[in-house]
């Protein structure tokens, strides 16, 4: 019984791996999720470079709650030495996540000098 | 005497205290508005009448009790100081004092219109604070902040219409409830409404029926002139709206009709030529005096009910004269005579009329409350020492009859704003002649529009003039 | 006097005393430092620094996003001059606060530089022009004095408005929308290269004015 089901299980696991991307590593180091917002689920950040060479980041956030959720997002942009760039884009942004929906949080680098980022999620008020 | 007091306190300490408590209560009810030193007030009025606005500013500033930042802590005199400083052309001081006045008004509004000892300002006062500040900003050459003050003026009028209507209807409802709960009160109120004093006042106020309450065409006119000349896209359209409103209230005087036509052309892309607007602050705005009349009502006293005449006290609006009929303006061959674009008298009368019924009910019920104060003391002093009883009774009766309503007003407001417009004269010289009064010749800037502000408070006052380039 | 009546009278006395007291005894708040990166201090119906930063952030983002800020043919960034920003609100706002934030952010992006030698009411920095007068001075090494034809004329002009709209909402509250509008005009063609609007809204007490 066990012997027969093992290959099936392996097949099933393999199929699952093909059809869906691997789950986000618990705690992408670039996303800082404070305890106050851990009840939300966050996708892995999708990072692209725009036509002008600036990085753009998208993160999907699911609000599973029955009520809207106030979210505060702060994105720091880092240069090649890992130092934060002084920019208005790093000021906190407030979004209200409608109940039981997915919201895409976007952030654009202020200049092509930005090589990396750090996005902090916290409760809005 | 001292011994007698001591003996009384020793014999019936408790009774003494209870009588004292009642007296304090009555005294608190009768708390009256603080009065400025009469000599200073007379000096201020004299200075304004003679066009000595620097002296008037100094007197008013002292009475406003300025804090370390130079802002007044007393509203009414901050208003007077700010307006006087405007005409003294001390524009920074005018802005400081009027900013302070606005802050004090804000405090009252935040406290849910709990005036306490503060001057019970009207909507017209609040609107004129911003109108005068706009002028003072123009005087400082700060057109950006003149625009801000004019926007504040509009904002105030817009929000006031709704809010004060709510407030007045709430007051009226409360009055109706009070009257319904006690037939004797309803009767007292009706007695008051039918008194010849009240009827006479209502008749006088009804003359200004054409003025909608809470809308001040004087400020709106000033804003229209400013916007017409700002050169900022979209302003001409706003100027057109402003002039339309002024024309509607002020009975479409010719000067406004022409301004309106000019604003219409400007809104369709035709830039207006350079003009001089003469704004004449003419005469003295209405003052208030205390109107006392007696209403008989049942009062519980010394264990029995007696009908006593109780004094009801209401502010009464007393209309004041213009300084002159108008100004004749001459610029080269062009002549114009100023016409009324906004009557402060009308604005005040219509607002006062709107509040009148609620005010009257409050005054009548306040008088009843004071009569009840007599009753309380009457009951409390029944078993007190006879001397205490007499003393407390005297105090209560005095308090009930020294009812005081707020009869203060912003003295510096004119009776009316008049305006005339002429093209900028080629020689830059503008002659102003008061009809039946003094004449002055002034220089106005060439190659641009300007506003000439003229003030004369009383018949015989000189013309106090300032010119603001637009 | 009965025992039950005594507290009532005492309350009456206290009430009277309260009436007589001015109602303006407010507690003094101790001064605190505000961390601009973590500023969670309360807001008012007016605008504060956070709102200007938010408006500037959103507007610059939209500008850069538009893809219209291509470099000059020589590969150099575009040169922007600051034109008129009209404050059409009831708040005393220095519109420089907004334009400074916008131009700093644009400069940092590497796409646009700002000229301080040309402005609507004269240059923001008149010294650039004044130092040209040193050409006549024998005291200055003329090789260190700016030569003729060195200044770069702007090819972009930034103008705009800050507008306020107030509306009463149910329950007697007040809603205020502050609308920040900016236009970036191509000076050569007079055509707006980019236009953007950012709205900052508040709902609060309608008791008093917002300024």
């Amino acid at each position: 019984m066990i012997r027969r089901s093992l290959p099936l299980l392996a097949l099933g696991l393999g199929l699952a791996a093909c059809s869906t991307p691997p789950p986000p590593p618990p705690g992408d180091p670039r996303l800082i999720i404070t305890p106050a917002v851990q009840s939300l689920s966050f996708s892995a950040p999708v990072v692209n470079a725009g036509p002008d060479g600036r990085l753009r980041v998208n993160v999907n956030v699911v609000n599973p709650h029955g009520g809207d959720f106030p979210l505060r997002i702060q994105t720091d942009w880092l240069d090649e030495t890992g130092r934060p760039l002084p920019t208005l884009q790093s000021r906190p942004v407030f979004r209200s996540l409608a109940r039981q929906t997915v919201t895409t949080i976007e952030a654009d680098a202020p200049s092509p000098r930005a090589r990396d980022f750090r996005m902090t999620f916290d409760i809005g008020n | 005497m001292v011994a007698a007091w001591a003996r009384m306190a020793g014999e019936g300490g408790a009774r003494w205290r209870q009588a004292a408590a009642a007296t304090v209560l009555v005294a608190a009810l009768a708390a009256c508005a603080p009065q400025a030193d009469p000599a200073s007030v007379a000096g201020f009025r004299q200075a304004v009448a003679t066009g000595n606005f620097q002296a008037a500013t100094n007197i008013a500033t002292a009475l406003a009790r300025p804090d370390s930042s130079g802002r007044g802590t007393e509203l009414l005199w901050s208003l007077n100081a700010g307006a006087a400083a405007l005409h003294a052309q001390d524009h920074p001081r005018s802005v400081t004092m009027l900013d302070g006045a606005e802050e004090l008004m804000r405090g009252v509004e935040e406290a849910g219109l709990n005036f306490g000892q503060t001057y019970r300002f009207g909507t017209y006062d609040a609107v004129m604070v911003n109108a005068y500040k706009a002028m003072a900003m123009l005087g400082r050459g700060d057109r950006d902040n003149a625009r801000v003050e004019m926007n504040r003026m509009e904002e105030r009028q817009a929000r006031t219409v709704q809010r004060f209507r709510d407030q007045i209807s709430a007051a009226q409802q409360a009055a109706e409830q009070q009257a319904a709960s006690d037939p004797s009160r309803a009767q007292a109120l009706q007695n008051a409404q039918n008194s010849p004093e009240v009827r006479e006042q209502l008749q006088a106020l009804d003359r200004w029926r054409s003025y909608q309450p809470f809308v001040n065409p004087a400020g709106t006119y000033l804003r229209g002139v400013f916007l017409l000349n700002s050169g900022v896209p979209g302003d001409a359209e706003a100027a057109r709206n402003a002039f339309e409103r002024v024309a509607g209230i002020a009975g479409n005087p010719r000067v406004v009709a022409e301004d309106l036509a000019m604003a219409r052309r400007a809104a369709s892309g035709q830039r207006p030529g350079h003009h001089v607007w003469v704004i004449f602050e003419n005469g003295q705005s209405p003052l208030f005096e205390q109107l006392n009349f007696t209403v008989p009502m049942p009062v519980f006293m010394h264990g029995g009910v007696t009908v006593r005449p109780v004094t009801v006290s209401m502010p009464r609006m007393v209309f004041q004269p213009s300084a002159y009929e108008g100004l004749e303006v001459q610029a080269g061959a062009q002549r114009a005579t100023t016409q009324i674009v906004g009557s402060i008298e009308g604005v005040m009368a219509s607002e006062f009329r709107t509040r009148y019924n609620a005010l009257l009910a409050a005054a009548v019920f306040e008088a009843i409350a004071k009569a009840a104060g007599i009753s309380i003391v009457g009951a409390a002093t029944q078993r007190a020492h006879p001397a205490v009883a007499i003393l407390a009774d005297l105090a209560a009766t005095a308090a009930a009859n020294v009812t005081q309503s707020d009869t203060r007003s912003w003295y510096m407001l004119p009776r009316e704003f008049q305006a005339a417009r002429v093209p900028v004269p080629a020689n830059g010289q503008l002659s102003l002649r008061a009809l039946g009064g003094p004449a002055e010749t002034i220089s106005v800037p060439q190659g641009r529009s300007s506003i000439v502000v003229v003030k004369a408070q009383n018949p015989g006052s000189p013309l106090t003039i300032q010119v603001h380039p637009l | 006097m009965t025992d039950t009546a005594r507290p009532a009278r005492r309350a009456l006395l206290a009430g009277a005393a309260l009436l007589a007291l001015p109602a303006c005894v407010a507690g003094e708040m101790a001064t605190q430092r505000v961390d601009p990166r973590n500023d969670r201090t309360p807001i008012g119906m007016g605008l504060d620094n956070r709102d200007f930063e938010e408006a500037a952030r959103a507007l610059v983002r939209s500008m850069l996003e538009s893809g219209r800020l291509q470099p000059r043919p020589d590969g150099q960034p575009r040169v922007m001059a600051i034109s008129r920003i009209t404050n059409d609100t009831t708040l005393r706002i220095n519109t420089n606060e907004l334009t400074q934030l916008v131009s700093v952010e644009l400069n940092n992006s590497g796409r646009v530089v700002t000229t301080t030698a040309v402005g609507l009411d004269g240059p923001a920095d008149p010294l650039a022009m004044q130092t040209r007068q040193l050409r006549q001075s024998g005291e200055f090494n003329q090789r260190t004095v700016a030569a003729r034809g060195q200044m770069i004329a702007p090819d972009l002009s930034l103008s705009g408005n800050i507008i306020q709209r107030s509306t009463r909402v149910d329950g007697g509250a007040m809603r205020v929308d502050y609308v920040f509008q900016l236009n970036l005009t191509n000076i050569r063609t007079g055509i707006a290269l980019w236009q953007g609007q950012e709205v900052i809204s508040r709902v609060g007490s309608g008791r008093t004015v917002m300024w």
Side-chain angles (χ1 to χ4, degrees):
Chain A
M1 181 70 186
I2 292 172
R3 211 173 292 162
R4 216 183 298 157
S5 59
L6 258 179
L8 264 176
L9 188 65
L11 183 70
L13 274 175
L15 274 174
C18 287
S19 59
T20 56
D28 185 311
R30 296 171 297 180
L31 301 190
I32 298 159
I33 294 157
T34 60
V37 297
Q38 268 168 358
S39 60
L40 306 172
S41 41
F42 296 84
S43 75
V46 178
V47 185
N48 292 307
D52 53 2
R54 291 183 302 132
L55 293 181
R56 309 160 70 140
V57 180
N58 294 349
V59 177
N60 287 333
V61 187
V62 182
N63 172 15
H65 301 289
D68 297 351
F69 196 99
L71 192 63
R72 177 186 193 267
I73 309 119
Q74 191 156 17
T75 311
D76 287 305
W77 292 95
L78 313 173
D79 66 10
E80 74 269 14
T81 65
R83 286 164 62 93
L85 294 169
T87 168
L88 288 177
Q89 304 301 336
S90 67
R91 73 176 304 285
V93 174
F94 296 86
R95 296 287 294 271
S96 175
L97 309 185
R99 58 199 159 133
Q100 291 168 344
T101 56
V102 183
T103 306
T104 304
I105 308 293
E106 312 155 304
D108 296 359
S111 86
R113 284 171 53 217
R115 297 291 158 80
D116 198 3
F117 70 95
R118 221 165 35 209
M119 212 178 223
T120 309
F121 296 92
D122 198 353
I123 195 160
N125 27 0
Chain B
M1 185 64 198
V2 175
W5 280 100
R7 200 172 51 242
M8 266 166 15
E11 279 172 9
R15 280 180 193 164
W16 167 244
R17 269 200 302 278
Q18 79 195 50
T23 312
V24 168
L25 180 68
V26 169
L29 279 173
C32 55
Q35 296 295 320
D37 148 46
S40 300
V41 177
F44 173 77
R45 292 190 176 197
Q46 179 63 22
V48 171
T50 55
N52 187 352
F53 287 103
Q54 194 54 60
T57 306
N58 292 338
I59 297 170
T61 304
L63 290 172
R65 299 195 300 269
D67 61 13
S68 56
S69 71
R71 291 184 173 194
T73 56
E74 200 283 323
L75 176 57
L76 188 65
W77 287 99
S78 300
L79 294 170
N80 280 322
L86 170 66
H87 294 290
Q89 300 199 44
D90 184 350
H91 299 123
R93 170 121 64 133
S94 179
V95 171
T96 305
M97 295 311 287
L98 294 174
D99 270 350
E102 208 174 16
E103 195 61 38
L104 293 169
M105 288 177 167
R106 195 192 157 97
V108 169
E109 288 173 336
E110 274 175 348
L113 290 179
N114 178 7
F115 288 88
Q117 301 276 293
T118 310
Y119 161 57
R120 290 182 165 266
F121 58 90
T123 310
Y124 46 83
D125 291 316
V127 168
M128 288 310 295
V129 166
N130 296 120
Y132 279 151
K133 253 200 284 178
M135 285 195 210
M137 290 293 189
L138 284 177
R140 279 173 26 168
D142 184 349
R143 267 175 287 169
D144 292 346
N145 280 320
R147 174 187 292 274
V148 167
E149 293 302 334
M150 294 194 200
N151 287 345
R152 290 181 175 186
M153 201 167 70
E154 285 302 296
E155 176 76 29
R156 271 191 194 284
Q157 298 204 30
R159 66 164 53 217
T160 302
V161 172
Q162 190 54 46
R163 219 166 75 75
F164 275 77
R165 260 182 210 157
D166 292 353
Q167 200 205 341
I168 287 163
S169 69
Q172 230 144 8
Q173 251 174 7
E176 278 162 19
Q177 267 174 7
Q178 283 217 41
S181 70
D182 182 352
S184 74
R185 287 182 175 210
Q187 188 56 50
L189 183 55
Q190 208 181 341
N191 289 352
Q193 278 161 348
N194 288 333
S195 72
E197 293 90 341
V198 169
R199 283 175 167 278
E200 180 263 321
Q201 173 78 121
L202 287 177
Q203 218 168 6
L205 295 177
D206 271 353
R207 210 159 55 80
W208 287 108
R209 255 182 316 218
S210 70
Y211 270 64
Q212 275 168 277
F214 313 124
V215 178
N216 186 338
T220 307
Y221 183 76
L222 184 69
R223 181 163 177 269
V225 172
F226 175 81
L227 292 175
L228 181 59
N229 290 282
S230 71
V232 172
D235 274 7
E237 184 61 30
R240 190 179 66 81
N241 282 332
F243 289 132
E244 258 170 14
R245 277 164 47 202
V246 176
I249 304 167
N252 203 16
R254 201 165 60 95
V255 59
V256 181
E258 286 169 9
D259 288 332
L260 181 55
M262 205 192 280
R264 284 211 179 101
R265 287 197 296 275
S268 61
Q270 206 180 322
R271 284 213 65 171
H274 299 305
H275 288 85
V276 181
W277 276 264
V278 176
I279 310 265
F280 179 30
E281 286 196 35
N282 187 13
Q284 161 75 61
S285 55
L287 299 176
F288 291 95
E289 61 176 30
Q290 199 173 309
L291 168 71
N292 293 331
F293 53 95
T294 50
V295 181
M297 63 180 72
V299 175
F300 178 73
M301 191 138 215
H302 299 306
V305 175
T306 50
V307 173
R308 281 197 164 193
V310 175
T311 304
V312 176
S313 176
M314 275 289 285
R316 173 169 172 269
M317 186 174 268
V318 186
F319 297 110
Q320 303 295 314
S322 305
Y324 304 105
E325 203 183 311
L327 288 181
E328 210 169 69
V329 184
Q330 188 165 0
Q334 299 274 343
R335 275 170 188 275
T337 306
T338 54
Q339 294 172 294
I340 300 177
V341 294
S343 165
I344 296 295
E345 183 177 289
V347 170
M348 287 175 72
S350 72
E351 184 163 333
F352 187 55
R353 178 68 188 87
T354 310
R355 295 171 189 274
Y356 198 84
N357 292 346
L359 268 177
L360 182 63
V364 169
F365 298 148
E366 191 189 341
I368 292 176
K370 280 174 184 160
I374 301 174
S375 309
I376 292 168
V377 178
T381 51
Q382 273 177 74
R383 297 184 305 165
H385 190 281
V388 176
I390 291 163
L391 197 73
D393 197 11
L394 268 177
T397 311
N401 287 302
V402 188
T403 320
Q404 194 149 9
S405 49
D406 199 342
T407 52
R408 297 172 290 176
S409 66
W410 188 357
Y411 183 79
M412 282 294 294
L413 290 183
R415 182 182 188 199
E416 67 206 16
F417 280 80
Q418 298 191 350
R421 190 198 54 257
V422 287
V424 176
N427 62 357
Q429 297 294 298
L430 197 74
S431 301
L432 302 168
R433 190 173 67 80
L435 298 171
E440 297 279 348
T441 299
I442 53 157
S443 301
V444 292
Q446 286 180 279
R448 67 190 305 175
S449 292
S450 53
I451 291 185
V452 176
V453 181
V454 185
K455 171 107 179 154
Q457 187 83 358
N458 301 111
S461 289
L463 303 179
T464 303
I465 304 168
Q466 56 189 312
V467 183
H468 303 312
L470 281 171
Chain C
M1 199 199 310
T2 60
D3 282 342
T4 46
R6 196 167 287 137
R9 300 239 185 263
R10 215 169 284 154
L12 193 71
L13 185 61
L18 269 179
L19 269 176
L21 269 177
C24 57
V25 191
E28 277 289 313
M29 182 188 165
T31 308
Q32 292 169 1
R33 184 174 279 112
V34 173
D35 174 3
R37 270 187 56 85
N38 188 24
D39 183 353
R40 292 173 189 249
T41 53
I43 55 168
M45 289 292 272
L47 295 170
D48 66 31
N49 187 48
R50 286 170 283 184
D51 301 302
F52 285 99
E53 285 189 357
E54 174 53 30
R57 186 196 68 81
L59 288 165
V60 171
R61 184 169 176 235
S62 157
M63 254 184 239
L64 296 176
E65 196 76 343
S66 72
R68 309 286 291 275
L69 296 179
Q70 300 303 324
R72 292 182 177 223
D74 59 2
Q76 292 299 305
R78 309 288 289 258
V79 181
M80 183 177 80
I82 311 285
S83 177
R84 175 156 49 198
I85 312 280
T86 305
N87 167 22
D88 210 356
T89 70
T90 61
L91 307 177
R92 285 186 193 152
I93 294 168
N94 188 341
T95 54
N96 287 347
E97 207 178 328
L98 181 69
T99 52
Q100 187 77 4
L101 286 166
V102 167
S103 53
V104 166
E105 190 71 5
L106 283 175
N107 287 354
N108 285 343
S109 77
R111 294 260 151 198
V112 176
V113 290
T114 308
T115 173
T116 53
V118 182
L120 197 64
D121 304 314
D125 184 353
L127 199 60
M129 197 54 96
Q130 269 178 32
T131 48
R132 263 63 183 173
Q133 290 167 0
L134 301 178
R135 285 184 198 135
Q136 277 94 46
S137 170
E139 297 300 321
F140 284 85
N141 178 344
Q142 288 299 312
R143 271 185 304 174
T144 64
V145 177
R148 286 178 159 274
Q150 299 279 298
M151 279 196 184
I152 297 175
D155 51 5
L156 297 175
S157 163
L158 182 74
S159 63
N161 288 298
I162 309 173
I163 303 168
Q164 175 182 330
R165 202 176 37 232
S166 316
T167 25
R168 257 172 89 90
V169 295
D170 288 351
M174 204 74 191
R175 179 194 170 108
V176 191
D177 295 313
Y178 298 99
V179 186
F180 291 76
Q181 298 176 327
L182 287 185
N183 307 313
L184 205 52
T185 306
N186 182 337
I187 289 179
R188 201 164 47 79
T189 62
I191 290 170
L193 203 64
W194 167 89
Q195 292 185 294
Q197 174 164 308
E198 176 68 13
V199 184
I200 299 218
S201 304
R202 297 269 205 280
V203 177
S205 162
R207 258 189 179 179
T208 185
V209 290
M210 63 281 281
W211 52 87

